[in-house]
């Protein structure tokens, strides 16, 4: 089985569900355009929906940071944002629901958007389950315990049903779990934050969120350069448009053109942009995606003009629920 990456939460900073008014508006516009579509097409509702752009139907998603990586032997979770709740419900259908599950959660850092799903992760309340937490940061246990403490949450850590274990990762040193090798590399964020390079059967997945990418050149990246090298799939922080990123210095987030520059230089094969700004509507994310396409096309044109080798990278703005085979 190929390595599988499932996106349970792609929003940055704060969950951002559609408001009922936005939903009504989108539904009205979709129904109106279906009436127009029907006049000149014989297709039904499914065909009509298939040709609509994402931002005019389901959108990009509102849950925060939570990514699952599956191999034939390993099942790991990166970050416990609000997307973790639904993933927990899914795990209950397997051994976790019987109190015989084992779960491995790796933290990039402890900002709220990467933690808030944890108190709603049902497998942690079930006796017999084992939950393992990992981070490079030394205050891992303190941060997890803090999520289960009054008056912020009614169930104290001591009353959790599952057995909980904490593991400290060494910076830039590989950690092997069954058929998967995980190595943490430092990102550029206001509080220490670590990206993960995950290898399985010769394929490489790289998780680069949250990062402002203030270090870009190979020399600046130094010991953290392997995070971007020979990668098959990279998940990259593109919270802002390029203009916003230039105005929000030290906010800790990046934009798609910066990811593309890195990907093209380091020969990354595929890049998915996530951690979308909670203030950005689906239409705005689609506009940023359009600007990114203009940027990417201009790079390709320049390469052709200068007779330089044209390297292609497959890229898109990620949506919640995507399942990618690496
Ligand atoms: Zn974040
Ligand atoms: Zn953060």
């Amino acid at each position: 089985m190929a390595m599988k990456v499932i996106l349970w939460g792609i929003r940055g900073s704060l969950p951002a569900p559609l408001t009922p008014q936005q939903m009504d508006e989108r539904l009205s516009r979709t129904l109106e355009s279906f009436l127009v579509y029907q006049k000149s097409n014989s297709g039904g509702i499914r065909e009509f929906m298939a040709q609509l752009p994402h931002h005019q139907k389901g959108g990009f998603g509102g849950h925060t940071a939570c990514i699952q990586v599956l191999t034939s032997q390993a099942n790991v979770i990166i970050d416990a944002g609000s997307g973790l709740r639904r993933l927990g419900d899914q795990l209950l259908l397997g051994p976790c629901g019987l109190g015989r599950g084992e779960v491995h959660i790796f933290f990039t850092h402890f900002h709220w958007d990467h933690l808030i799903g944890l108190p709603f992760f049902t497998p942690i309340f079930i006796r017999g389950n084992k939950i393992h937490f990992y981070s490079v940061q030394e205050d891992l246990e303190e941060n997890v315990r803090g999520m289960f403490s009054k008056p912020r949450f009614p169930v104290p850590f001591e009353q959790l049903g599952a057995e909980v274990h904490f593991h400290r990762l060494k910076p830039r040193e590989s950690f092997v779990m069954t058929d998967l090798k995980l190595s943490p590399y430092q990102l550029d964020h206001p509080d220490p934050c670590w990206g993960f390079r995950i290898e399985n059967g010769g394929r490489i997945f790289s998780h680069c969120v949250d990062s402002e990418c203030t270090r870009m050149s190979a020399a600046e990246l130094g010991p953290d350069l392997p995070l971007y090298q020979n990668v098959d799939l990279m998940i990259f922080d593109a919270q802002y448009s390029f203009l916003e990123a230039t105005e929000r210095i030290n906010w800790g987030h990046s934009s798609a053109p910066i990811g593309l520059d890195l990907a093209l230089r380091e020969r990354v094969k595929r890049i998915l942009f996530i951690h979308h700004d909670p203030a950005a509507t689906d239409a705005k994310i689609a506009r940023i995606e359009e600007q990114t396409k203009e940027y990417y096309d201009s790079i390709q044109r320049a390469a052709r003009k200068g007779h330089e080798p044209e390297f292609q990278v497959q890229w898109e703005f990620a949506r919640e629920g995507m399942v990618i085979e690496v």
Side-chain angles (χ1 to χ4, degrees):
M1 167 184 150
M3 181 159 45
K4 207 182 262 185
V5 176
I6 306 175
L7 311 185
W8 293 89
I10 48 69
R11 197 56 79 152
S13 307
L14 193 73
L18 281 181
T19 65
Q21 292 75 17
Q22 284 172 322
M23 195 62 219
D24 288 355
E25 174 63 26
R26 187 172 296 181
L27 204 53
S28 305
R29 259 200 251 153
T30 308
L31 289 170
E32 279 162 13
S33 49
F34 179 62
L35 293 177
V36 175
Y37 171 87
Q38 254 190 333
K39 285 183 186 154
S40 48
N41 291 278
S42 56
I45 289 177
R46 299 264 168 211
E47 289 77 9
F48 165 72
M49 290 300 286
Q51 50 86 51
L52 277 185
H54 298 298
H55 68 279
Q56 282 176 29
K57 40 186 181 180
F60 291 88
H63 282 299
T64 68
C66 183
I67 308 279
Q68 184 182 20
V69 182
L70 288 166
T71 65
S72 53
Q73 292 173 51
N75 179 3
V76 308
I77 298 168
I78 301 177
D79 285 332
S82 68
L84 182 69
R85 188 191 62 78
R86 280 204 315 122
L87 169 52
D89 292 347
Q90 165 94 11
L91 292 176
L92 290 180
L93 303 175
C96 278
L98 303 167
R100 293 202 291 268
E102 199 153 355
V103 176
H104 302 269
I105 302 181
F106 291 78
F107 282 105
T108 56
H109 65 313
F110 304 113
H111 285 165
W112 285 118
D113 51 325
H114 300 251
L115 267 181
I116 42 171
L118 200 52
F120 305 94
F121 182 59
T122 310
I124 205 168
F125 299 101
I126 298 177
R127 196 165 298 281
N129 284 337
K130 285 185 188 160
I131 315 289
H132 298 267
F133 292 109
Y134 305 79
S135 81
V136 171
Q137 294 88 336
E138 58 187 345
D139 51 357
L140 168 67
E141 183 167 347
E142 188 186 322
N143 280 297
V144 170
R145 280 177 174 271
M147 293 307 286
F148 299 92
S149 62
K150 290 174 180 292
R152 287 178 295 277
F153 193 70
V155 183
F157 181 81
E158 293 70 25
Q159 282 178 21
L160 295 179
E163 231 181 75
V164 176
H165 300 273
F166 296 99
H167 309 267
R168 184 99 186 267
L169 298 170
K170 292 199 176 105
R172 303 173 192 91
E173 271 189 33
S174 297
F175 171 83
V176 177
M177 181 191 288
T178 60
D179 62 348
L180 173 152
K181 186 165 95 173
L182 180 146
S183 319
Y185 293 95
Q186 189 149 29
L187 297 168
D188 302 317
H189 206 48
D191 291 303
C193 182
W194 293 80
F196 299 120
R197 175 187 170 98
I198 296 179
E199 299 172 48
N200 164 259
R203 308 290 288 172
I204 298 165
F205 163 58
S206 183
H207 185 274
C208 311
V209 182
D210 302 357
S211 187
E212 190 165 341
C213 278
T214 44
R215 296 170 299 153
M216 280 291 283
S217 70
E220 284 169 322
L221 283 163
D224 295 314
L225 185 61
L227 186 60
Y228 308 97
Q229 290 180 311
N230 305 313
V231 169
D232 294 290
L233 174 70
M234 173 156 85
I235 286 202
F236 191 83
D237 181 336
Q239 176 141 341
Y240 303 130
S241 70
F242 185 67
L243 182 64
E244 286 167 340
T246 60
E247 291 165 350
R248 296 174 183 182
I249 304 296
N250 295 329
W251 286 32
H253 300 290
S254 189
S255 70
I258 294 166
L260 279 179
D261 283 354
L262 259 173
L264 287 164
R265 191 188 76 203
E266 299 300 335
R267 303 292 191 249
V268 171
K269 293 186 187 70
R270 184 173 181 188
I271 179 165
L272 288 177
F273 297 112
I274 68 165
H275 211 272
H276 309 309
D277 190 348
T281 60
D282 289 323
K284 181 175 174 186
I285 298 169
R287 277 200 303 280
I288 298 174
E289 196 172 18
E290 200 49 47
Q291 290 163 6
T292 305
K293 186 175 180 314
E294 284 165 24
Y295 178 74
Y296 180 74
D297 290 347
S298 73
I299 293 176
Q300 297 296 327
R301 272 198 306 277
R304 278 196 296 275
K305 229 176 175 179
H307 303 292
E308 292 165 27
E310 210 179 312
F311 182 74
Q312 311 276 342
V313 54
Q314 195 187 339
W315 65 270
E316 69 189 291
F317 277 53
R319 299 179 310 285
E320 187 178 309
M322 282 176 81
V323 179
I324 308 108
E325 286 205 354
V326 184

